[in-house]
Amino acid sequence: MNGTATILLPSYFDALAMKNDRTVQLTPKDGWSPLYVDGLVSVAFTVKTTKDGNPSQKFYWTVFAKRGDITVEK
């Protein structure tokens, strides 16, 4: 990981999820290191650790977003 990892989402993600308010939950695996998402979540996003963090920290990730492919009639 070298302190940075890029996660590629499926090509259809942008069509299904609204672009606003996308969030990512990061959970360190087998240890702990401060992790954060650097930049916006699009068809990819970048996860980094701080300079004091473990540069090879493994982690789980989950993306949360509102569906953007459904229209509701009123």
Side-chain angles (χ1 to χ4, degrees), residues 39-59:
L40 299 175
V41 179
S42 185
V43 294
F45 62 92
T46 301
V47 176
K48 293 185 176 182
T49 188
T50 63
K51 65 177 181 166
D52 298 325
N54 177 358
S56 60
Q57 176 66 54
K58 295 178 182 178
F59 59 92

Side-chain angles (χ1 to χ4, degrees), residues 7-67:
I7 309 298
L8 300 174
L9 298 172
S11 58
Y12 55 81
F13 181 78
D14 253 0
L16 292 179
M18 296 180 74
K19 295 186 188 316
N20 296 332
D21 301 323
R22 294 177 181 178
T23 60
V24 178
Q25 178 182 346
L26 301 171
T27 305
K29 177 183 175 186
D30 299 328
W32 186 87
S33 188
L35 301 170
Y36 65 96
V37 174
D38 185 25
L40 299 175
V41 179
S42 185
V43 294
F45 62 92
T46 301
V47 176
K48 293 185 176 182
T49 188
T50 63
K51 65 177 181 166
D52 298 325
N54 177 358
S56 60
Q57 176 66 54
K58 295 178 182 178
F59 59 92
Y60 299 103
W61 56 270
T62 305
V63 176
F64 295 94
K66 292 182 183 178
R67 293 282 303 253

